[in-house]
Protein backbone atom coordinates (compact mmCIF):
# COMPACT_ATOMS: atom_id res chain seq x y z
CA UNK A 1 0.00 0.00 0.00
CA UNK A 2 1.42 3.41 -0.97
CA UNK A 3 0.94 6.64 0.93
CA UNK A 4 0.42 10.10 -0.56
CA UNK A 5 4.16 10.76 -0.77
CA UNK A 6 4.65 7.85 -3.16
CA UNK A 7 6.65 5.69 -0.74
CA UNK A 8 5.30 2.35 0.40
CA UNK A 9 3.95 1.96 3.90
CA UNK A 10 2.94 -1.15 5.78
CA UNK A 11 -0.20 -1.98 7.64
CA UNK A 12 -0.36 -1.46 11.42
CA UNK A 13 2.77 0.73 11.26
CA UNK A 14 5.10 -2.26 10.77
CA UNK A 15 7.84 -2.23 8.18
CA UNK A 16 8.09 -5.63 6.55
CA UNK A 17 10.40 -6.98 3.85
CA UNK A 18 7.96 -6.08 1.05
CA UNK A 19 7.96 -2.46 2.22
CA UNK A 20 11.77 -2.45 2.21
CA UNK A 21 11.83 -3.96 -1.30
CA UNK A 22 9.40 -1.36 -2.67
CA UNK A 23 11.43 1.43 -1.09
CA UNK A 24 14.63 0.08 -2.62
CA UNK A 25 13.07 -0.11 -6.10
CA UNK A 26 11.86 3.48 -5.84
CA UNK A 27 15.24 4.64 -4.59
CA UNK A 28 17.06 2.95 -7.48
CA UNK A 29 14.67 4.64 -9.92
CA UNK A 30 15.34 8.04 -8.39
CA UNK A 31 19.08 7.36 -8.45
CA UNK A 32 19.01 6.43 -12.15
CA UNK A 33 17.07 9.59 -12.98
CA UNK A 34 19.53 11.69 -10.99
CA UNK A 35 22.53 10.21 -12.79
CA UNK A 36 21.00 10.73 -16.22
CA UNK A 37 20.35 14.36 -15.32
CA UNK A 38 23.97 14.73 -14.18
CA UNK A 39 25.21 13.22 -17.46
CA UNK A 40 22.98 15.63 -19.39
CA UNK A 41 24.38 18.61 -17.50
CA UNK A 42 27.96 17.40 -17.97
CA UNK A 43 27.59 17.55 -21.75
CA UNK A 44 26.92 21.28 -21.60
CA UNK A 45 30.01 21.92 -19.46
CA UNK A 46 32.60 19.54 -20.92
CA UNK A 47 34.99 20.42 -23.70
CA UNK A 48 35.72 18.02 -26.58
CA UNK A 49 36.84 14.71 -25.10
CA UNK A 50 39.99 12.83 -25.84
CA UNK A 51 39.58 9.71 -28.04
CA UNK A 52 39.81 7.50 -24.96
CA UNK A 53 37.10 9.42 -23.12
CA UNK A 54 34.86 9.33 -26.16
CA UNK A 55 35.28 5.58 -26.55
CA UNK A 56 34.74 4.81 -22.86
CA UNK A 57 31.45 6.70 -22.70
CA UNK A 58 30.04 6.08 -26.17
CA UNK A 59 27.97 3.04 -25.17
CA UNK A 60 26.38 4.80 -22.22
CA UNK A 61 25.70 7.89 -24.30
CA UNK A 62 24.08 5.77 -27.03
CA UNK A 63 21.66 4.35 -24.48
CA UNK A 64 20.79 7.68 -22.87
CA UNK A 65 21.00 10.18 -25.71
CA UNK A 66 17.91 8.98 -27.61
CA UNK A 67 15.63 10.45 -24.98
CA UNK A 68 17.83 13.47 -24.24
CA UNK A 69 18.92 14.61 -27.73
CA UNK A 70 17.10 14.82 -31.04
CA UNK A 71 18.16 12.25 -33.70
CA UNK A 72 20.74 13.36 -36.25
CA UNK A 73 20.68 12.88 -40.01
CA UNK A 74 22.66 9.94 -41.46
CA UNK A 75 25.38 12.19 -42.85
CA UNK A 76 25.75 14.25 -39.68
CA UNK A 77 29.28 14.77 -38.36
CA UNK A 78 29.89 16.46 -35.01
CA UNK A 79 31.71 19.76 -35.16
CA UNK A 80 34.38 20.87 -32.74
CA UNK A 81 33.11 24.45 -32.79
CA UNK A 82 31.62 25.87 -29.63
CA UNK A 83 28.22 26.26 -31.29
CA UNK A 84 27.78 22.48 -31.64
CA UNK A 85 29.18 21.53 -28.22
CA UNK A 86 25.88 20.89 -26.51
CA UNK A 87 24.59 18.18 -28.84
CA UNK A 88 27.85 16.60 -30.05
CA UNK A 89 30.04 16.10 -26.96
CA UNK A 90 29.54 12.91 -24.93
CA UNK A 91 30.11 13.00 -21.15
CA UNK A 92 33.71 12.73 -20.03
CA UNK A 93 35.01 9.60 -18.33
CA UNK A 94 35.41 11.61 -15.12
CA UNK A 95 31.63 11.87 -14.87
CA UNK A 96 31.24 8.07 -15.04
CA UNK A 97 34.03 6.60 -12.95
CA UNK A 98 32.28 7.24 -9.61
CA UNK A 99 29.31 5.06 -10.51
CA UNK A 100 29.09 2.23 -7.93
CA UNK A 101 29.88 -1.31 -9.02
CA UNK A 102 26.83 -3.57 -9.27
CA UNK A 103 27.38 -7.16 -8.02
CA UNK A 104 27.29 -9.56 -10.97
CA UNK A 105 27.18 -13.35 -11.04
CA UNK A 106 30.21 -15.19 -12.51
CA UNK A 107 29.87 -15.39 -16.29
CA UNK A 108 33.08 -17.20 -17.27
CA UNK A 109 34.95 -20.32 -16.21
CA UNK A 110 37.74 -18.49 -14.40
CA UNK A 111 35.33 -16.42 -12.31
CA UNK A 112 33.29 -19.53 -11.48
CA UNK A 113 36.45 -21.36 -10.41
CA UNK A 114 37.40 -18.47 -8.10
CA UNK A 115 33.88 -18.44 -6.66
CA UNK A 116 34.08 -22.16 -5.88
CA UNK A 117 37.46 -21.65 -4.20
CA UNK A 118 36.20 -18.86 -1.95
CA UNK A 119 33.05 -20.74 -0.98
CA UNK A 120 35.22 -23.73 -0.07
CA UNK A 121 37.58 -21.54 2.00
CA UNK A 122 34.62 -19.95 3.77
CA UNK A 123 33.91 -23.30 5.46
CA UNK A 124 37.16 -23.14 7.47
CA UNK A 125 35.93 -20.94 10.36
CA UNK A 126 32.70 -22.96 10.55
CA UNK A 127 34.77 -25.84 11.93
CA UNK A 128 35.67 -23.72 14.96
CA UNK A 129 32.07 -23.90 16.19
CA UNK A 130 32.33 -27.62 17.08
CA UNK A 131 31.64 -27.76 20.86
CA UNK A 132 33.76 -30.88 21.32
CA UNK A 133 36.70 -29.24 19.56
CA UNK A 134 36.38 -26.08 21.66
CA UNK A 135 36.34 -28.17 24.85
CA UNK A 136 39.47 -29.97 23.66
CA UNK A 137 41.12 -26.61 22.98
CA UNK A 138 40.36 -25.33 26.48
CA UNK A 139 42.11 -28.41 27.88
CA UNK A 140 45.44 -27.44 26.29
CA UNK A 141 45.35 -23.70 27.11
CA UNK A 142 46.85 -22.68 30.48
CA UNK A 143 43.80 -20.59 31.34
CA UNK A 144 45.07 -19.41 34.73
CA UNK A 145 48.23 -18.04 33.11
CA UNK A 146 46.38 -16.43 30.18
CA UNK A 147 43.69 -14.79 32.31
CA UNK A 148 46.25 -13.68 34.90
CA UNK A 149 48.41 -11.94 32.29
CA UNK A 150 45.33 -10.41 30.69
CA UNK A 151 44.07 -9.04 34.01
CA UNK A 152 47.47 -7.54 34.81
CA UNK A 153 47.82 -5.88 31.39
CA UNK A 154 44.23 -4.65 31.49
CA UNK A 155 44.83 -2.95 34.86
CA UNK A 156 48.00 -1.29 33.56
CA UNK A 157 46.17 0.05 30.50
CA UNK A 158 43.31 1.28 32.69
CA UNK A 159 45.75 3.08 35.00
CA UNK A 160 47.52 4.68 32.02
CA UNK A 161 44.20 5.98 30.67
CA UNK A 162 43.11 7.37 34.04
CA UNK A 163 46.47 9.09 34.53
CA UNK A 164 45.78 11.26 31.48
CA UNK A 165 42.97 12.94 33.40
CA UNK A 166 40.74 13.53 30.38
CA UNK A 167 38.29 10.66 30.86
CA UNK A 168 39.67 8.58 28.01
CA UNK A 169 39.17 4.84 27.80
CA UNK A 170 42.07 2.37 27.80
CA UNK A 171 43.45 1.48 24.38
CA UNK A 172 42.55 -2.21 24.71
CA UNK A 173 39.85 -3.97 26.72
CA UNK A 174 40.13 -7.08 28.87
CA UNK A 175 39.10 -9.43 26.03
CA UNK A 176 41.78 -7.86 23.80
CA UNK A 177 44.34 -8.53 26.52
CA UNK A 178 43.23 -12.17 26.69
CA UNK A 179 43.96 -12.58 22.97
CA UNK A 180 47.30 -10.79 23.34
CA UNK A 181 48.32 -13.14 26.18
CA UNK A 182 47.20 -16.13 24.11
CA UNK A 183 49.29 -14.82 21.20
CA UNK A 184 52.46 -14.67 23.31
CA UNK A 185 51.93 -18.13 24.81
CA UNK A 186 51.14 -19.76 21.45
CA UNK A 187 54.21 -18.31 19.73
CA UNK A 188 56.71 -18.83 22.56
CA UNK A 189 55.56 -22.04 24.23
CA UNK A 190 52.97 -24.07 22.31
CA UNK A 191 53.51 -24.37 18.55
CA UNK A 192 56.66 -25.18 16.57
CA UNK A 193 57.71 -23.99 13.13
CA UNK A 194 58.78 -26.63 10.61
CA UNK A 195 61.28 -25.94 7.86
CA UNK A 196 62.71 -29.34 6.92
CA UNK A 197 61.66 -31.91 9.54
CA UNK A 198 64.52 -33.70 11.27
CA UNK A 199 65.08 -37.38 10.52
CA UNK A 200 63.08 -39.43 13.03
CA UNK A 201 65.76 -42.19 12.99
CA UNK A 202 69.02 -40.29 13.54
CA UNK A 203 67.81 -36.67 14.00
CA UNK A 204 69.99 -35.48 11.11
CA UNK A 205 68.81 -32.70 8.76
CA UNK A 206 66.72 -33.76 5.78
CA UNK A 207 66.60 -32.72 2.13
CA UNK A 208 63.35 -32.00 0.28
CA UNK A 209 62.38 -34.61 -2.31
CA UNK A 210 59.11 -33.15 -3.56
CA UNK A 211 55.51 -34.16 -2.91
CA UNK A 212 53.95 -37.56 -2.36
CA UNK A 213 50.30 -38.70 -2.16
CA UNK A 214 48.76 -38.82 1.34
CA UNK A 215 47.97 -42.12 3.01
CA UNK A 216 44.34 -42.88 3.93
CA UNK A 217 45.03 -41.93 7.55
CA UNK A 218 46.62 -38.65 6.50
CA UNK A 219 43.70 -37.88 4.21
CA UNK A 220 41.27 -38.56 7.04
CA UNK A 221 42.88 -35.71 8.98
CA UNK A 222 42.57 -33.28 6.10
CA UNK A 223 46.05 -33.65 4.59
CA UNK A 224 45.56 -32.85 0.90
CA UNK A 225 49.32 -32.90 0.25
CA UNK A 226 52.37 -34.45 1.87
CA UNK A 227 55.95 -33.20 1.58
CA UNK A 228 58.67 -35.87 1.33
CA UNK A 229 62.18 -35.46 2.77
CA UNK A 230 65.26 -37.70 2.75
CA UNK A 231 67.83 -37.90 5.54
CA UNK A 232 71.11 -36.20 4.62
CA UNK A 233 73.22 -38.71 6.54
CA UNK A 234 74.81 -41.13 4.06
CA UNK A 235 74.54 -44.16 6.35
CA UNK A 236 70.86 -43.51 7.12
CA UNK A 237 68.92 -42.44 4.04
CA UNK A 238 65.55 -42.70 5.80
CA UNK A 239 62.57 -40.81 4.40
CA UNK A 240 60.48 -38.39 6.43
CA UNK A 241 56.90 -37.40 5.61
CA UNK A 242 55.41 -34.01 6.50
CA UNK A 243 51.62 -34.07 6.02
CA UNK A 244 50.03 -30.59 5.74
CA UNK A 245 47.08 -31.31 8.00
CA UNK A 246 43.93 -29.22 7.78
CA UNK A 247 42.16 -30.86 10.71
CA UNK A 248 42.48 -28.63 13.78
CA UNK A 249 42.04 -31.48 16.25
CA UNK A 250 44.96 -33.34 14.67
CA UNK A 251 47.09 -30.18 14.77
CA UNK A 252 46.41 -29.87 18.49
CA UNK A 253 48.27 -33.19 18.78
CA UNK A 254 51.18 -32.51 16.41
CA UNK A 255 51.63 -28.83 17.41
CA UNK A 256 53.80 -28.04 14.41
CA UNK A 257 53.54 -26.62 10.93
CA UNK A 258 53.86 -23.41 8.95
CA UNK A 259 51.66 -20.35 8.60
CA UNK A 260 48.58 -22.32 7.50
CA UNK A 261 48.69 -24.66 10.49
CA UNK A 262 49.62 -21.86 12.90
CA UNK A 263 46.77 -19.56 11.86
CA UNK A 264 44.27 -22.43 11.76
CA UNK A 265 44.93 -23.56 15.32
CA UNK A 266 45.38 -20.07 16.76
CA UNK A 267 42.11 -18.85 15.25
CA UNK A 268 40.29 -21.78 16.81
CA UNK A 269 41.89 -21.12 20.22
CA UNK A 270 40.81 -17.48 20.02
CA UNK A 271 37.27 -18.72 19.42
CA UNK A 272 37.58 -21.08 22.39
CA UNK A 273 38.32 -18.18 24.78
CA UNK A 274 35.32 -16.23 23.50
CA UNK A 275 36.77 -14.04 20.75
CA UNK A 276 35.06 -13.18 17.47
CA UNK A 277 37.45 -14.53 14.85
CA UNK A 278 38.25 -14.20 11.17
CA UNK A 279 40.53 -16.51 9.21
CA UNK A 280 42.25 -14.39 6.54
CA UNK A 281 43.36 -15.95 3.26
CA UNK A 282 45.91 -14.26 1.02
CA UNK A 283 46.21 -15.33 -2.62
CA UNK A 284 50.01 -15.04 -2.38
CA UNK A 285 50.30 -17.97 0.05
CA UNK A 286 49.92 -16.57 3.55
CA UNK A 287 47.29 -16.97 6.25
CA UNK A 288 46.64 -14.92 9.38
CA UNK A 289 43.89 -14.01 11.85
CA UNK A 290 41.67 -11.06 12.67
CA UNK A 291 39.85 -10.64 15.99
CA UNK A 292 37.12 -8.12 16.77
CA UNK A 293 37.90 -5.57 19.48
CA UNK A 294 34.80 -4.52 21.38
CA UNK A 295 36.81 -1.66 22.86
CA UNK A 296 37.79 -0.19 19.49
CA UNK A 297 34.78 -1.51 17.53
CA UNK A 298 36.94 -2.77 14.66
CA UNK A 299 38.71 -5.88 13.41
CA UNK A 300 42.32 -6.22 14.58
CA UNK A 301 45.11 -7.84 12.55
CA UNK A 302 46.86 -10.69 14.40
CA UNK A 303 49.68 -12.78 12.90
CA UNK A 304 50.66 -15.51 15.33
CA UNK A 305 53.69 -16.58 13.25
CA UNK A 306 55.24 -13.13 13.76
CA UNK A 307 53.62 -12.42 17.15
CA UNK A 308 52.21 -9.30 15.46
CA UNK A 309 49.24 -7.38 16.86
CA UNK A 310 47.36 -4.61 15.01
CA UNK A 311 50.09 -4.19 12.40
CA UNK A 312 48.34 -4.54 9.01
CA UNK A 313 51.23 -2.90 7.14
CA UNK A 314 53.56 -5.69 8.24
CA UNK A 315 53.43 -7.53 4.90
CA UNK A 316 53.56 -4.72 2.34
CA UNK A 317 55.98 -2.46 4.18
CA UNK A 318 57.74 -4.82 6.58
CA UNK A 319 58.22 -7.83 4.33
CA UNK A 320 58.09 -6.04 0.99
CA UNK A 321 55.35 -8.48 -0.04
CA UNK A 322 53.04 -7.60 -2.94
CA UNK A 323 49.48 -8.88 -2.70
CA UNK A 324 46.32 -9.06 -4.77
CA UNK A 325 43.54 -10.57 -2.64
CA UNK A 326 43.13 -10.68 1.14
CA UNK A 327 39.76 -12.22 2.03
CA UNK A 328 38.56 -12.57 5.64
CA UNK A 329 36.18 -15.43 6.46
CA UNK A 330 34.10 -15.80 9.61
CA UNK A 331 30.92 -17.53 10.73
CA UNK A 332 29.12 -14.34 9.65
CA UNK A 333 30.35 -14.27 6.04
CA UNK A 334 33.25 -13.02 3.96
CA UNK A 335 34.85 -9.59 3.51
CA UNK A 336 37.45 -8.38 1.02
CA UNK A 337 39.93 -6.66 3.38
CA UNK A 338 42.71 -6.11 0.83
CA UNK A 339 42.59 -2.34 1.35
CA UNK A 340 43.58 -2.83 5.00
CA UNK A 341 46.83 -4.54 4.01
CA UNK A 342 47.66 -2.97 0.63
CA UNK A 343 47.69 0.83 0.87
CA UNK A 344 49.77 1.83 -2.15
CA UNK A 345 49.59 1.00 -5.84
CA UNK A 346 53.20 -0.19 -5.94
CA UNK A 347 52.39 -2.74 -3.20
CA UNK A 348 49.53 -4.32 -5.18
CA UNK A 349 49.46 -7.16 -7.66
CA UNK A 350 46.90 -7.37 -10.43
CA UNK A 351 43.48 -8.65 -9.33
CA UNK A 352 42.70 -10.86 -12.31
CA UNK A 353 40.89 -13.83 -10.76
CA UNK A 354 37.52 -12.24 -11.56
CA UNK A 355 35.97 -8.82 -12.27
CA UNK A 356 35.37 -6.63 -9.20
CA UNK A 357 31.62 -6.85 -9.75
CA UNK A 358 31.88 -10.65 -9.43
CA UNK A 359 34.00 -10.29 -6.28
CA UNK A 360 31.21 -8.23 -4.72
CA UNK A 361 28.66 -10.86 -5.78
CA UNK A 362 30.67 -13.70 -4.19
CA UNK A 363 31.14 -11.73 -0.98
CA UNK A 364 27.41 -11.03 -0.74
CA UNK A 365 26.57 -14.63 -1.61
CA UNK A 366 28.69 -16.01 1.25
CA UNK A 367 27.19 -13.48 3.66
CA UNK A 368 23.68 -14.53 2.67
CA UNK A 369 24.59 -18.19 3.19
CA UNK A 370 25.93 -17.54 6.67
CA UNK A 371 23.18 -15.14 7.79
CA UNK A 372 20.10 -16.75 6.28
CA UNK A 373 18.96 -18.27 9.59
CA UNK A 374 19.86 -15.29 11.79
CA UNK A 375 17.30 -13.14 13.56
CA UNK A 376 16.50 -9.85 11.85
CA UNK A 377 18.08 -7.81 14.67
CA UNK A 378 21.33 -9.77 14.38
CA UNK A 379 21.45 -9.31 10.60
CA UNK A 380 20.83 -5.59 11.02
CA UNK A 381 23.67 -5.35 13.57
CA UNK A 382 26.07 -7.12 11.20
CA UNK A 383 25.04 -4.89 8.28
CA UNK A 384 25.84 -1.81 10.36
CA UNK A 385 29.17 -3.36 11.25
CA UNK A 386 29.86 -4.08 7.56
CA UNK A 387 29.05 -0.47 6.69
CA UNK A 388 31.36 0.86 9.42
CA UNK A 389 34.19 -1.38 8.23
CA UNK A 390 33.70 -0.36 4.60
CA UNK A 391 34.03 3.26 5.68
CA UNK A 392 37.24 2.35 7.51
CA UNK A 393 38.67 0.60 4.44
CA UNK A 394 37.79 3.51 2.16
CA UNK A 395 39.49 5.81 4.65
CA UNK A 396 42.75 3.92 4.15
CA UNK A 397 42.59 4.68 0.43
CA UNK A 398 41.95 8.37 1.05
CA UNK A 399 44.77 8.55 3.61
CA UNK A 400 47.16 6.84 1.20
CA UNK A 401 46.35 9.31 -1.58
CA UNK A 402 46.78 12.23 0.81
CA UNK A 403 50.11 10.90 2.03
CA UNK A 404 51.30 10.39 -1.55
CA UNK A 405 50.39 13.97 -2.48
CA UNK A 406 52.20 15.36 0.57
CA UNK A 407 55.31 13.30 -0.18
CA UNK A 408 55.30 14.45 -3.81
CA UNK A 409 55.10 18.06 -2.70
CA UNK A 410 57.95 17.53 -0.26
CA UNK A 411 60.28 14.85 -1.67
CA UNK A 412 62.30 12.53 0.53
CA UNK A 413 65.51 10.68 -0.21
CA UNK A 414 64.41 6.98 0.01
CA UNK A 415 67.94 5.83 0.84
CA UNK A 416 68.40 8.13 3.82
CA UNK A 417 64.74 8.90 4.70
CA UNK A 418 65.88 12.53 5.19
CA UNK A 419 63.73 15.45 4.13
CA UNK A 420 65.28 18.55 2.56
CA UNK A 421 66.25 21.09 5.19
CA UNK A 422 66.37 18.49 7.95
CA UNK A 423 62.63 18.74 8.63
CA UNK A 424 60.35 16.13 10.09
CA UNK A 425 58.36 13.79 7.86
CA UNK A 426 54.91 15.08 7.00
CA UNK A 427 51.97 13.77 9.01
CA UNK A 428 50.11 10.93 7.39
CA UNK A 429 47.11 10.68 9.66
CA UNK A 430 45.77 7.71 11.55
CA UNK A 431 47.05 5.99 14.64
CA UNK A 432 50.75 5.62 15.14
CA UNK A 433 50.56 1.85 15.51
CA UNK A 434 49.05 1.65 12.03
CA UNK A 435 51.66 3.79 10.32
CA UNK A 436 54.96 2.07 11.06
CA UNK A 437 56.51 -1.12 12.28
CA UNK A 438 56.86 -1.19 16.07
CA UNK A 439 60.37 -1.14 17.50
CA UNK A 440 60.21 -4.82 18.43
CA UNK A 441 59.06 -5.83 14.91
CA UNK A 442 62.11 -5.68 12.61
CA UNK A 443 61.75 -5.45 8.85
CA UNK A 444 61.51 -8.72 6.97
CA UNK A 445 59.79 -11.95 7.90
CA UNK A 446 60.95 -13.59 11.12
CA UNK A 447 59.31 -17.04 10.85
CA UNK A 448 60.89 -19.63 8.58
CA UNK A 449 64.34 -20.43 7.24
CA UNK A 450 66.18 -17.57 5.54
CA UNK A 451 66.45 -19.39 2.20
CA UNK A 452 62.71 -20.01 2.25
CA UNK A 453 62.00 -16.36 3.12
CA UNK A 454 64.29 -15.14 0.32
CA UNK A 455 62.60 -17.46 -2.19
CA UNK A 456 59.22 -15.97 -1.27
CA UNK A 457 60.57 -12.38 -1.53
CA UNK A 458 59.50 -11.65 2.06
CA UNK A 459 62.83 -10.50 3.43
CA UNK A 460 61.99 -6.81 3.61
CA UNK A 461 61.38 -3.89 1.25
CA UNK A 462 63.91 -3.17 -1.47
CA UNK A 463 65.04 0.44 -1.23
CA UNK A 464 66.61 2.04 -4.30
CA UNK A 465 70.40 2.33 -4.20
CA UNK A 466 71.67 5.40 -2.41
CA UNK A 467 73.29 8.18 -4.41
CA UNK A 468 76.94 8.25 -3.23
CA UNK A 469 77.15 11.95 -3.99
CA UNK A 470 74.24 12.84 -1.70
CA UNK A 471 75.05 13.13 1.98
CA UNK A 472 72.60 12.49 4.76
CA UNK A 473 71.72 15.26 7.18
Amino acid sequence: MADSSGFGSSQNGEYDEQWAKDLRVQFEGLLRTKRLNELDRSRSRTSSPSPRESASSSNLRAAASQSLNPPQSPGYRPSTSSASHFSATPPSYASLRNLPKIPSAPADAQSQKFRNLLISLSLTPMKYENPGLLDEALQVIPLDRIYGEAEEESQVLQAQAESMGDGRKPEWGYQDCVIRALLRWFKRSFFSWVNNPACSVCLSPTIAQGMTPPTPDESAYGALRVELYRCSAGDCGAYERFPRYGDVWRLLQTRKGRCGEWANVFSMLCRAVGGRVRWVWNAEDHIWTEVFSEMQKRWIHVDVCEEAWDNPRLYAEGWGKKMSYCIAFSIDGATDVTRRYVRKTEQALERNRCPEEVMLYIQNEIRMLRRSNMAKDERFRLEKEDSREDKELRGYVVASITQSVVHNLRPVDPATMNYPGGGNPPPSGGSGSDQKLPAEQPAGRQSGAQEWINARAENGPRLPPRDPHQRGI
Side-chain angles (χ1 to χ4, degrees), residues 40 99 171 176 195 199 213 299 303 345 353 396 430 433 449 465 470:
D40 186 26
L99 297 178
E171 182 179 10
D176 301 326
N195 292 310
C199 176
W299 288 95
D303 191 321
T345 304
R353 299 285 190 98
Y396 292 139
S433 63
Q470 184 172 358

Side-chain angles (χ1 to χ4, degrees), residues 53 101 121 150 162 171 237 241 257 287 293 439:
E53 289 176 331
K101 291 181 172 60
L121 293 173
E162 293 176 353
E171 182 179 10
R241 301 172 65 87
I287 307 289
S293 170

Side-chain angles (χ1 to χ4, degrees), residues 67 75-76 100 109 120 146-147 186 312 351 377:
S67 61
Y76 172 78
S120 175
I146 298 300
Y147 291 143
F186 192 100
R351 290 165 61 96
D377 290 346

Side-chain angles (χ1 to χ4, degrees), residues 157-226:
L157 292 173
Q158 181 68 41
Q160 289 176 346
E162 293 176 353
S163 68
M164 302 303 293
D166 54 5
R168 71 176 61 184
K169 294 182 179 180
E171 182 179 10
W172 305 110
Y174 174 73
Q175 183 62 29
D176 301 326
C177 294
V178 170
I179 302 297
R180 286 161 62 92
L182 187 68
L183 172 67
R184 292 188 294 269
W185 165 78
F186 192 100
K187 166 73 172 180
R188 303 176 188 181
S189 305
F190 183 66
F191 229 68
S192 299
W193 185 271
V194 174
N195 292 310
N196 289 19
C199 176
S200 58
V201 177
C202 65
L203 302 181
S204 298
T206 58
I207 302 172
Q209 302 294 303
M211 308 298 292
T212 188
T215 65
D217 286 345
E218 292 167 340
S219 296
Y221 289 118
L224 300 179
R225 54 198 177 97
V226 178

Side-chain angles (χ1 to χ4, degrees), residues 302-368:
V302 188
D303 191 321
V304 66
C305 300
E306 304 291 288
E307 201 177 323
W309 171 269
D310 196 23
N311 189 10
R313 294 189 175 192
L314 170 67
Y315 312 114
E317 298 186 5
W319 295 5
K321 183 182 181 70
K322 294 187 176 183
M323 298 183 287
S324 56
Y325 295 93
C326 302
I327 314 297
F329 299 99
S330 72
I331 60 171
D332 301 322
T335 304
D336 184 353
V337 294
T338 309
R339 289 172 290 179
R340 179 174 291 132
Y341 300 95
V342 181
R343 308 288 181 86
K344 301 177 182 178
T345 304
E346 58 269 24
Q347 298 168 348
L349 293 176
E350 184 180 3
R351 290 165 61 96
N352 54 12
R353 299 285 190 98
C354 70
E356 292 304 316
E357 294 82 357
V358 174
M359 183 67 241
L360 282 174
Y361 177 91
I362 299 170
Q363 177 178 281
N364 293 342
E365 182 182 18
I366 295 175
R367 285 178 178 175
M368 289 178 62

